[in-house]
Each structure stands twice: as C-alpha cells, then as structure tokens.
Amino acid sequence: MADPKPTGNGAPMPGYEPAPMLAERMPTGSTDSSMFSGPVPSDPFHSDPFVGRMVGNCRILEKINEGGSSFIYRAVNVNFNLERVIKILKPSLADDQEYYDRFKQEAQLTARLDHPNILRVFDTGEIGRQFFIEMEYMEGQTLREFLNHHHRIREVDILRIAVQIAEALDYAHNARIQTPTTEEVLHGILHRDLKPENIMLPTGGGLKLMDFGAAKPLSLNHKTLQGTIVGTPHYMSPEQINGEALDARSDFFSLGVVLYELCTGKRPFDSENLAALLARVDACKFELPRKLRPSLSPLTEEIIEKLLSKKPEHRPASAKEILESLQIAHHAMQQWGTGARAKIPFSLRRLYPTLALGFSVFSLTVSVLLTARFLPLLRNPAELKNHFSALVAKGIDAERKGDVDEALGLYELNPPPEKGGDPESFLLSRLQSARLYLRKGQLTKARALLEGLRHRYQDPALDATLGILYFKSALYLEAKDRLEAALESPKQTVLRRSDSFNPEEFRSEALYHLAAAWDGQLTYVDSRPEFREKAIRAYRRFLDFSGCSGEDKRCEQAKKRIDDLRSGS
C-alpha cells in the first residue's frame, strides 16, 4: 500500500493568521523582496512617478515595498477589476543591458509556469526602459513573517510546507517552456533564490513560491557577490557560491536550509562577516538539527542532512525523490500518533487491494494472537524458536511469490528479543524487510531499519546491505567500510537460515558493489592514481570470484570499467 501523502492544500496551520502590514516593521532600505503586505504610508514630500498611472492593463494604486532590484506596487487590472501586484525594475539596473535582458527573459519564462504552488505571472512589458511584471495578488504572509511570529512550528506542519515546495520545484524543474523569442524549448527552470522571504502563505491555506530567478545573477565568483542579493548567501549552495554550473540540486540545497531553519529556528550557516559566511557555506559544516531540537524525528533529520550535502551528487537526484522521503517521514509520524491524518476521497475500487491486504494481515494477526494465548504453555525454548522461524519462513515464501506487502506484514509480526522474540528470527525478518525496501528504492526506510539493527547485531549481511544502500546514496567511503567489513567477517550470516540464500551470490554482490564504490570514490571524491589501481583490482577480484560464465550485466560493466580506467576515461 502506498504511503499516504501530506495534503498540499487545506486548513491553515495552528496560529496561522494574516501578517501585520509589512511597512509597520520593515526598516528603511530593507532588501526584503516580500510584496504581499499592507501599504507603505505615503510620503507628503515625495510623489511616486508611477502611482495613478496605467502600466499594461493595470492602474497602479500605491507603492507597497521596495527591494534591492525593483519597486513593488499594488494595482488593479481594469479589464477584470481584480487586484494585482506590479513589480518594476529599477532604472539603475535597466541601464545594465546584460542584467536587463536577463530580467526580461526570466520574467517571460516564469509567466509560462502554471502550478497551484507557484505565484502566477499574468503579463510582462516595458515602460520606456523600465521592465514590469504583473503578478497575482493575495492576502497572507511570507514564511519569514510566519517564522517571526511562531518560534516553534509543529513537525507535521513543516513536512506539509516542504511537500508543497518540493511539488513546486518538481513542476518547475521539469516544465517544458518555449522561449518567447525563439523556437527553442527549455526543459525546466531553476529558482536559484529559495528562502523564506520568497515563500508565500496565503490566508486561506496552501503555499506559493515566488520570484523564480527574477533579477538575480546567473552565477557568483568565488567569495565575491555580484549584483544586489543581500541576505541570499545564507541559502546558496556551495556550487552557487563558487560560481559553478547549477542544476536542480542547487535548489534542493536551499530547500534544506529552509527546512533546517523551520525545524530549529536558526540557519545552518550564519556569520556577521560576509567572507566568513561564504567560507562556512563552502565548508558545509553545521550542527545536527536534533542537537537543537531533540524531539525532531530521525527521518526528518536525515532528509535535511541529505539536502545539505556538500557535493551535489550526494543530494537527492530529483524532487520526486524528496517527495517520497517526505511522505515516508509523514507516514511514520502518523504511526507514532502525531499530526493530522491526510484526508483521501473515498473510492471503493481503490480500497480493493487495501481490503485484501487488510484481511490477510488480520487473519495472520488473529493466528499469532491465538498462538500467543498459548505461548506460556510452550515451556521449551526450541518450540518458541520454531514458532518465530515459521513466521519468517512464511514471509520468505510470500516474497518468493511476489507478494511483497504480505511478506512485510509477516516480518513485522516477529517481536524483538526484549518482548519475548527469538533474536535470530527478529534479525532475519528485519534484514529481509530492509532488503525488500532497498529493492523498491525506499532507501530511507531501509536505512532506518539497518541503522537500528547495527547497534545491536554484528552480521555480515547487515554490513553488506548497509554498504549497498550507502553506495546507492552516493556515500562511497561509508559503502567501502561496510562492504569490506562484510567480506572480511569470519562470522556466518543469519541469512543462511533462508533456503533461498546463496553464499556465492551474496559474496559476488558484495564484491561488485565494493568495486563500484572504489570507482565512485575515484570519480567523485578523489582522483589519485592509486585509487584508480584499487578500483581496477577490485573489479578484477569480482570477475575472478564470479567466473562470469553466463550472461551477467555486472560482468560486462566490470570489464568495461577496467578498460575505461586503464585508458584514463
């Protein structure tokens, strides 16, 4: 059964009220780009050149804010009699041709985005040399304002916010956008300035992501800021700080900073000195969230840690991967009895698989309970062990038949030793569950199970499975440590109790992933020549052990990589 998904829209969070007017507390000269608060009191000594004028189809009513790159006005679209926000590029930046062209192009591209969690752009145009954007207007407050008023946000609400941001990023990163001036079709757009000031919480609930790439430099030179981006470096990725090429994973790093701040009330990288701040972001060293908020769930902390990885390849590869991890964390919180449950429209047809699984699990549970009723009569420990071994055997049989949900349900019925269970049966059932989650690509669930077992057991299969999981997570150094521990261990694995266990295949799989981990370290971490030789030797060791007489894609890949490594590819 799929994990329930946190609702993207719905009732406002507890204490969620419209923000006070921004002008009441924003200092003069602030670079905050918020545009949804109340009006700035009019200055009787200075008249604004745009108030009262028509800009596109809108009549400007009043100035409500001023950012580092633009003026922000409340306006009304005269054709539809609807309130709008007009953002006008400052004249000083309009004279910079490169900056002007970039602002104009990115505004026109953003106008082609249409998603419930992205602020709508309705029109763009020019007033002389001053470019303007007509945008959606709504009551509410920015996430920064919400943070200022709520120093402790429920974890379940943080996960809901994260889901909506991730859904907006998933849409933007994968949208097919035709450029306004050419026939070229772009595949996605980066935000590049994700921060609480650019996230809107409407009064009626939901979330809107704002300012997609508008009026921001494409890159930064190392330790040097270009353009008007005061405040933004706290949320930049290391590659953005260093002026390197950016992809979706740069936005994911910024999302990690936002989630860290929502969970702990402080940013992971902070300093009064700009040079020191950039150095801290570049080093990517931060205090673990649970040290600041011990009640935070390990799954939520793991999501944040992965998003804040220094190397882009260690972060999630897509927003969909982030969404899956968030849904797992949200589902786990529901099981622990915290947070509101997601409301899913009723559909009897959709319930068929669930009902079938439910009846199956119910029958198994009744069977176990009836057996447990007579467990005190089973004085012989061997009989208890046989009982729990039978549960594992049924799970393995269900797994062999392809019924993964039933297998997981059976494995879950094996209690830990402190609750009267058999230690070996408990370890075997949890190992089998972790391997199933790993096969399904649910790495967070698998890792939670394996890390919990690692502190209680020493088993080669535990190390090997963790090593493979670390490899899939691009944690190559950790993967090598675990896989080498598994291959060098003199102990027999508990998997030997399964009639489907093949010792040769087990060792072959560990050897292959160890070689791939050496290869990954060479490619992404350290390209020293000695590591190239170690990777080649590790692939040779795998080939020698496996024989590779039949068709095995791993063998083909190993041979190809040996050739590539020898040629320096």
Side-chain angles (χ1 to χ4, degrees):
M1 183 172 62
D3 293 330
K5 181 177 183 180
T7 53
N9 295 294
M13 293 180 285
Y16 186 99
E17 69 280 342
M21 292 185 179
L22 187 61
E24 296 175 5
R25 61 180 191 282
M26 178 169 285
T28 303
S30 169
T31 57
D32 191 296
S33 61
S34 174
M35 60 190 74
F36 296 94
S37 302
V40 175
S42 59
D43 185 343
F45 301 104
H46 298 87
S47 60
D48 190 290
F50 291 105
V51 173
R53 288 183 58 184
M54 288 293 295
V55 175
N57 295 319
C58 296
R59 183 177 301 280
I60 293 183
L61 302 178
E62 61 186 345
K63 183 178 178 181
I64 58 177
N65 196 14
E66 179 178 338
S69 62
S70 56
F71 303 113
I72 311 299
Y73 297 90
R74 185 170 68 89
V76 60
N77 187 300
V78 296
N79 292 340
F80 301 102
N81 195 28
L82 292 173
E83 284 192 287
R84 294 283 193 255
V85 168
I86 298 294
K87 184 174 183 178
I88 301 178
L89 181 66
K90 286 185 173 181
S92 59
L93 295 174
D95 292 337
D96 183 333
Q97 187 63 44
E98 181 182 354
Y99 195 99
Y100 175 83
D101 291 341
R102 183 167 61 246
F103 185 96
K104 179 178 178 180
Q105 177 179 313
E106 289 178 340
Q108 291 173 335
L109 293 177
T110 308
R112 287 157 173 77
L113 298 179
D114 184 10
H115 188 272
N117 293 125
I118 295 177
L119 186 75
R120 289 295 310 274
V121 172
F122 295 109
D123 194 14
T124 61
E126 296 181 60
I127 311 172
R129 279 286 295 170
Q130 290 182 262
F131 195 80
F132 74 85
I133 308 174
E134 177 190 343
M135 295 179 290
E136 185 177 7
Y137 176 92
M138 57 182 58
E139 296 292 337
Q141 58 186 326
T142 65
L143 185 57
R144 169 63 63 210
E145 294 169 316
F146 186 81
L147 270 168
N148 290 340
H149 285 82
H150 302 84
H151 301 294
R152 187 79 167 183
I153 305 175
R154 294 191 311 161
E155 186 174 349
V156 68
D157 291 329
I158 293 172
L159 292 175
R160 289 195 185 109
I161 289 173
V163 162
Q164 293 175 82
I165 298 172
E167 286 178 338
L169 292 177
D170 182 49
Y171 170 81
H173 292 165
N174 294 286
R176 294 173 61 86
I177 306 170
Q178 184 169 343
T179 59
T181 56
T182 68
E183 296 296 324
E184 182 185 5
V185 176
L186 303 180
H187 297 276
I189 182 172
L190 301 182
H191 192 288
R192 298 185 304 162
D193 194 29
L194 189 64
K195 57 184 178 181
E197 288 81 358
N198 286 338
I199 298 168
M200 173 67 178
L201 301 177
T203 303
L207 177 145
K208 295 282 185 178
L209 197 53
M210 308 184 292
D211 279 355
F212 261 86
K216 278 174 285 292
L218 289 173
S219 64
L220 297 175
N221 290 331
H222 184 61
K223 305 294 173 66
T224 303
L225 287 178
Q226 299 175 356
T228 52
I229 50 172
V230 178
T232 302
H234 291 91
Y235 300 89
M236 286 182 178
S237 63
E239 59 269 27
Q240 191 172 0
I241 288 290
N242 292 317
E244 299 170 5
L246 304 181
D247 60 19
R249 295 169 296 185
S250 180
D251 279 348
F252 300 158
F253 187 92
S254 302
L255 173 59
V257 178
V258 172
L259 294 186
Y260 187 102
E261 187 172 2
L262 286 172
C263 290
T264 67
K266 61 183 293 187
R267 290 175 290 215
F269 316 106
D270 216 344
S271 177
E272 294 182 1
N273 180 281
L274 184 57
L277 170 62
L278 297 180
R280 289 182 182 181
V281 175
D282 194 28
C284 209
K285 303 281 187 189
F286 57 90
E287 195 169 8
L288 292 177
R290 294 181 73 200
K291 286 189 177 181
L292 300 173
R293 183 172 176 172
S295 62
L296 194 68
S297 71
L299 293 179
T300 300
E301 182 182 59
E302 183 177 344
I303 292 169
I304 295 172
E305 281 190 80
K306 192 168 184 179
L307 289 170
L308 292 179
S309 298
K310 177 176 173 62
K311 291 183 176 294
E313 58 266 24
H314 294 171
R315 299 175 209 150
S318 67
K320 282 187 170 58
E321 186 178 332
I322 299 173
L323 284 167
E324 181 188 357
S325 298
L326 290 168
Q327 290 157 19
I328 291 171
H330 186 269
H331 180 51
M333 291 193 69
Q334 288 182 320
Q335 288 183 321
W336 298 334
T338 60
R341 293 187 179 274
K343 294 181 180 179
I344 302 173
F346 178 78
S347 171
L348 187 60
R349 180 175 295 178
R350 186 169 59 243
L351 286 178
Y352 287 164
T354 305
L355 290 172
L357 175 61
F359 281 125
S360 175
V361 172
F362 174 76
S363 301
L364 289 167
T365 305
V366 169
S367 173
V368 170
L369 290 175
L370 288 174
T371 305
R373 173 71 177 81
F374 299 99
L375 281 180
L377 302 178
L378 301 176
R379 303 296 182 184
N380 189 345
E383 293 180 358
L384 279 173
K385 187 168 185 174
N386 289 338
H387 166 72
F388 293 124
S389 295
L391 282 177
V392 177
K394 287 181 181 178
I396 293 173
D397 187 55
E399 190 178 333
R400 189 183 295 112
K401 293 175 181 177
D403 196 338
V404 173
D405 289 326
E406 185 177 354
L408 289 171
L410 283 160
Y411 294 144
E412 195 65 32
L413 293 175
N414 242 308
E418 60 268 22
K419 294 186 178 180
D422 172 54
E424 278 201 352
S425 296
F426 175 74
L427 173 59
L428 179 55
S429 63
R430 293 303 183 268
L431 260 176
Q432 291 292 118
S433 294
R435 288 160 71 88
L436 281 178
Y437 287 134
L438 188 59
R439 194 185 309 164
K440 293 169 67 177
Q442 296 180 348
L443 304 186
T444 304
K445 273 190 172 182
R447 183 172 179 177
L449 270 177
L450 293 168
E451 292 286 7
L453 292 171
R454 185 180 170 189
H455 298 294
R456 305 171 62 177
Y457 295 93
Q458 291 183 340
D459 187 287
L462 179 55
D463 284 323
T465 310
L466 258 176
I468 294 171
L469 186 149
Y470 287 147
F471 171 77
K472 290 180 180 292
S473 303
L475 301 173
Y476 304 116
L477 300 178
E478 294 86 347
K480 286 196 305 147
D481 288 344
R482 291 300 94 217
L483 289 163
E484 286 174 347
L487 291 165
E488 294 170 6
S489 174
K491 296 184 177 182
Q492 285 190 314
T493 174
V494 72
L495 291 181
R496 71 187 187 284
R497 287 178 49 181
S498 168
D499 56 8
S500 61
F501 176 66
N502 184 328
E504 286 74 22
E505 174 56 29
F506 172 80
R507 187 170 183 82
S508 176
E509 185 178 29
L511 286 169
Y512 176 77
H513 281 94
L514 177 59
W518 274 111
D519 198 352
Q521 182 183 1
L522 170 73
T523 305
Y524 300 108
V525 181
D526 194 331
S527 58
R528 282 183 286 176
E530 56 264 35
F531 288 155
R532 184 181 302 275
E533 289 303 316
K534 288 184 178 181
I536 292 173
R537 285 200 296 269
Y539 277 124
R540 283 180 175 276
R541 185 181 175 193
F542 159 73
L543 291 171
D544 291 342
F545 178 83
S546 302
C548 294
S549 55
E551 292 184 3
D552 190 334
K553 290 183 179 179
R554 295 177 308 179
C555 294
E556 296 175 9
Q557 179 65 19
K559 293 173 183 176
K560 182 178 183 303
R561 284 305 297 155
I562 289 175
D563 292 339
D564 290 343
L565 291 170
R566 281 175 173 168
S567 63
S569 301

